[in-house]
Amino acid sequence: DLLSLSPQQEVRSWWERAVIPLVFERLAQLYPYARVNDPADPLAAANGQYLLIRKEVYSRLGGHEAVREEILEDVALAARAKQAGFRIWFGSGNGVVRTRMYRRFGEMWRGWTKNLFLLYRRDRRAVHRAAAGLALRYWLPQLAGAVLLLIGFPAAGYGLVILLYAAREQVRYAARLRASGADASAALWALPGALLLFLLLLNSERRYSQNLGVEWKGRRYSPRTDPSDKRP
């Protein structure tokens, strides 16, 4: 009844290579296709870059009028369809459709600031865990390794081990990119990408949690907050 593909992402600038593949890797963990496509699982998702829906289903759901207050209207529409008992299917668009999400850094910053906190389902703790995970996996090992190498023997040996661990993580990230159909060379930008995504996660959480609003395509949105969300 509703079919959506996650398009293959075109990344050309260094900041696109650094951030976009890293974000989509996280989204694949948050919204596994198998769970989204399981009618018994309440998890729903869709990507508005490629979304098809049967006309009669769209009408019965109230169309986009029914999700006009949602910033992530594609995910909201998929959720309404699944809750109403319609079948949804979400999958990879590799080899089928391609898109370039952002052409300027400012667009990317505003776009992911608008989306990330909502994609983490307004869960502040999940956002903080994700940000901490980026730091622990990408920067802190390299920083600690470099410091220990500078200290010299015997700490240099530990520093070398830590840097080898960091290099292994980068190789594993490249392998995951290759397996997903993305350009594995984007792994070379993992370190600045992790830093930018860390900042984007915290900025998105801050904008929503403090009701500061978000901006997109010349419009400013005052996001609706969940009054039942009392998590720190």
Side-chain angles (χ1 to χ4, degrees):
D1 298 304
L2 182 151
L3 181 146
S4 182
L5 299 179
S6 183
Q8 189 170 354
Q9 299 297 314
E10 294 186 2
V11 289
R12 301 179 188 177
S13 62
W14 73 265
W15 46 267
E16 289 172 282
R17 291 176 178 272
V19 176
I20 303 295
L22 202 55
V23 170
F24 273 85
E25 183 185 47
R26 295 300 184 274
L27 295 182
Q29 296 168 5
L30 286 170
Y31 298 93
Y33 296 141
R35 286 191 58 194
V36 171
N37 298 335
D38 182 355
D41 193 312
L43 185 68
N47 188 325
Q49 295 169 347
Y50 191 101
L51 195 156
L52 304 175
I53 184 170
R54 296 183 186 277
K55 180 179 178 180
E56 60 272 21
V57 174
Y58 184 74
S59 298
R60 286 180 61 181
L61 294 175
H64 275 76
E65 176 70 16
V67 293
R68 68 187 185 278
E69 294 185 359
E70 301 289 343
I71 292 177
L72 292 182
E73 79 291 339
D74 47 4
V75 177
L77 189 63
R80 287 179 64 87
K82 198 169 191 181
Q83 289 164 6
F86 296 110
R87 290 297 302 272
I88 70 174
W89 192 89
F90 186 36
S92 170
N94 286 346
V96 179
V97 60
R98 306 167 63 92
T99 188
R100 187 181 182 194
M101 288 186 71
Y102 305 113
R103 287 168 171 76
R104 290 184 291 275
F105 182 86
E107 286 181 350
M108 185 192 72
W109 184 266
R110 290 187 293 273
W112 288 124
T113 294
K114 171 177 68 77
N115 292 341
L116 281 171
F117 187 60
L118 302 182
L119 288 167
Y120 275 83
R121 300 186 276 278
R122 299 178 180 268
D123 188 334
R124 297 172 187 165
R125 291 177 180 171
V127 169
H128 295 162
R129 284 195 301 270
L134 288 167
L136 291 170
R137 174 170 287 184
Y138 292 101
W139 335 325
L140 293 183
Q142 298 207 30
L143 179 61
V147 169
L148 290 172
L149 280 177
L150 289 173
I151 291 173
F153 185 82
Y158 294 107
L160 182 59
V161 170
I162 293 173
L163 289 176
L164 287 173
Y165 163 80
R168 188 193 71 161
E169 286 299 308
Q170 197 160 2
V171 170
R172 292 175 68 182
Y173 176 43
R176 293 194 301 272
L177 290 175
R178 191 179 297 109
S180 70
D183 183 358
S185 68
L188 296 172
W189 299 100
L191 193 60
L195 176 59
L196 286 171
L197 182 51
F198 176 91
L199 296 173
L200 279 164
L201 283 165
L202 296 185
N203 188 52
S204 183
E205 187 268 338
R206 180 182 69 91
R207 301 292 305 185
Y208 281 95
S209 297
Q210 298 181 16
N211 293 321
L212 298 175
V214 292
E215 295 181 5
W216 183 241
K217 293 187 176 181
R219 297 187 180 95
R220 183 174 181 82
Y221 297 90
S222 297
R224 182 179 55 190
T225 56
D226 182 355
S228 67
D229 184 1
K230 301 183 184 303
R231 287 168 294 192

